[in-house]
Amino acid sequence: MNFKKLPKKLHNYEHIHLITHTDLDGVGPSIVLRAYGIPHTPYYVETRKVDETVQAKLNELNDQELLIITDLSVNDETAQMIDQINKHPDGRYIVLIDHHQSAIALNDYEWASVIPTLNDVKMSATTLIFKALHQADYEVSPLLQMEEDESLESSITTNEYTDKEKATYYNRLVQLVEKIRLYDTWDWHILSIQEAADLNTIFYARRRHEFIKARLDYIIHGELFTPEDSAYLEFSKEELQKVLKKKSKQMVIVKEYNLKGHEGTLNIGVVETDSYYSELGNFLAEKYCEEIDAVFIISLVKNRVSLRSIGNKVNLSNIAKAYQGGGHPNASGCDLSELGIDFLQAVLKANSEQ
């Protein structure tokens, strides 16, 4: 996305809205915008709610307002609505920045930028919006949040920074953006960069506004984790080992199952949990790589299924997209209800046999 090609500079819009995902890489773009001194109102939505949320915002969007969509894709109907608004601008404009392979078709639109990889490096939404702002010559100038309510513009204040301070803040922002990318793409596991995984652990342990404020504090003061964060990380690592051990014993293998979006049958490891989705999925995929092709992690509370695999035998983004979800070849997700009763019956049958 080239922010230089927008109808006007970001600071000249009367209001900027950000619709983004609920995970670490979804919150990242809001942190980046704040780090660059760009006020905005964020809306965090799950994948299944994105079209409903975007369409509602399009109907409310006023003149001189910008809508940025990050880490999410939209369906054909929503894309057509966006295209019509952007072709006849009256001060309103919409852009979309995403990195999921399942959304690549949106690149047919001028206002969309979907880049899964760049120079053989896997991208994240946080990385892409950071690059776009840097390339458009915006300067890092962090907004400070004074109140707990992240949606109140009155709670945001700005400071004047020296060039030396801006350079320091920029370097710290680069490191933060990279840690978010490392976790979201799972490159942290390949490169053994534990801080990236720890950052995600803290994200889910803190309230969102607290996490965002602490990351902006890091950009200014240089401490990635607070003492409270460090204490929680020690506790969390012990809990994770317990979860991995327990869920390994509970995993059910559904053999030779047919799924939409994939030719042929798959052996699927199925387990239920409401925490440590990525860690558990990749642990099981590696441990049982000779027995299963993918891991489906079910959350009954959230009606969600997280799909995980290793290698290139199966493209999970194609499977997830066939069930109204999306994601990456080795990490995707969809609603549990989309898989249907046949899948649940297959799990129950495999469990009784196992």
Side-chain angles (χ1 to χ4, degrees):
M1 172 55 60
N2 189 340
F3 280 125
K4 287 184 176 180
K5 293 185 177 180
L6 287 178
K8 61 181 70 176
K9 291 185 177 181
L10 292 174
H11 291 99
N12 291 335
Y13 283 97
E14 291 184 4
H15 199 95
I16 296 175
H17 305 271
L18 173 70
I19 293 179
T20 190
H21 198 206
T22 56
D23 65 0
L24 177 63
D25 191 37
V27 172
S30 184
I31 296 173
V32 170
L33 286 170
R34 292 169 196 250
Y36 272 96
I38 299 168
H40 62 283
T41 302
Y43 308 87
Y44 302 100
V45 301
E46 295 288 353
T47 305
R48 61 184 178 277
K49 296 271 190 177
V50 61
D51 289 292
E52 173 187 340
T53 304
V54 171
Q55 290 187 23
K57 183 54 62 180
L58 293 179
N59 291 327
E60 298 172 354
L61 204 62
N62 295 318
D63 291 353
Q64 313 307 319
E65 291 190 343
L66 174 69
L67 171 60
I68 303 174
I69 304 166
T70 57
D71 203 33
L72 295 166
S73 61
V74 296
N75 64 21
D76 291 340
E77 178 186 357
T78 307
Q80 288 295 326
M81 291 177 64
I82 294 172
D83 208 44
Q84 288 303 310
I85 292 174
N86 284 350
K87 282 182 177 178
H88 304 284
D90 49 8
R92 300 179 296 168
Y93 204 74
I94 303 97
V95 297
L96 182 146
I97 299 172
D98 193 20
H99 66 118
H100 295 99
Q101 184 67 38
S102 54
I104 202 76
L106 289 174
N107 281 332
D108 290 342
Y109 298 97
E110 291 185 359
W111 44 265
S113 178
V114 181
I115 306 175
T117 61
L118 186 63
N119 298 325
D120 295 324
V121 176
K122 296 180 215 173
M123 290 291 100
S124 70
T126 304
T127 303
L128 292 173
I129 195 168
F130 166 75
K131 286 181 175 293
L133 290 167
H134 176 67
Q135 291 168 0
D137 299 324
Y138 287 90
E139 289 189 338
V140 172
S141 185
L143 296 175
L144 302 179
Q145 191 165 321
M146 307 304 293
E147 305 294 337
E148 288 193 356
D149 191 343
E150 61 187 325
S151 67
L152 296 178
E153 288 190 24
S154 60
S155 70
I156 302 296
T157 184
T158 57
N159 282 352
E160 293 293 328
Y161 301 107
T162 66
D163 289 342
K164 183 178 180 180
E165 286 174 328
K166 290 179 181 179
T168 299
Y169 302 159
Y170 172 81
N171 289 333
R172 289 174 183 159
L173 179 60
V174 168
Q175 295 176 40
L176 178 63
V177 168
E178 176 61 2
K179 285 181 175 63
I180 294 175
R181 187 199 72 80
L182 285 167
Y183 182 80
D184 197 65
T185 61
W186 211 249
D187 278 353
W188 79 268
H189 185 63
I190 298 171
L191 301 173
S192 299
I193 301 178
Q194 184 62 40
E195 273 195 343
D198 290 345
L199 188 66
N200 186 71
T201 298
I202 294 303
F203 169 71
Y204 282 105
R206 300 284 181 256
R207 289 186 291 177
R208 189 183 292 127
H209 74 268
E210 291 175 341
F211 179 83
I212 291 173
K213 183 178 184 301
R215 302 299 72 79
L216 290 170
D217 287 345
Y218 155 71
I219 291 171
I220 294 174
H221 301 297
E223 293 184 6
L224 182 60
F225 299 118
T226 66
E228 293 78 11
D229 291 340
S230 297
Y232 181 81
L233 287 170
E234 287 301 314
F235 165 78
S236 178
K237 287 170 185 176
E238 294 178 4
E239 288 300 301
L240 173 59
Q241 293 306 313
K242 294 178 183 177
V243 170
L244 296 181
K245 183 177 180 180
K246 179 180 178 181
K247 295 302 176 179
S248 293
K249 297 178 180 178
Q250 294 178 353
M251 187 180 73
V252 174
I253 299 178
V254 179
K255 296 182 179 180
E256 298 182 350
Y257 191 78
N258 283 293
L259 286 160
K260 291 187 291 185
H262 179 80
E263 293 185 7
T265 61
L266 293 172
N267 292 334
I268 306 167
V270 182
V271 67
E272 193 277 330
T273 189
D274 289 311
S275 61
Y276 301 112
Y277 305 109
S278 294
E279 291 86 350
L280 179 59
N282 283 272
F283 173 78
L284 294 175
E286 290 184 352
K287 183 175 181 178
Y288 297 99
C289 61
E290 299 296 327
E291 301 171 56
I292 60 176
D293 303 304
V295 179
F296 282 26
I297 306 168
I298 295 174
S299 171
L300 296 175
V301 174
K302 296 182 179 180
N303 182 35
R304 290 291 290 174
V305 181
S306 295
L307 287 56
R308 296 292 186 272
S309 68
I310 58 174
N312 55 13
K313 181 178 179 180
V314 54
N315 188 326
L316 296 178
S317 66
N318 291 339
I319 294 174
K321 189 173 183 180
Y323 291 97
Q324 312 307 312
H328 306 287
N330 293 116
S332 293
C334 66
D335 284 355
L336 174 60
S337 54
E338 292 291 337
L339 288 173
I341 191 66
D342 289 345
F343 176 73
L344 295 177
Q345 288 176 340
V347 174
L348 291 173
K349 181 181 178 182
N351 184 53
S352 64
E353 293 174 349
Q354 189 169 313

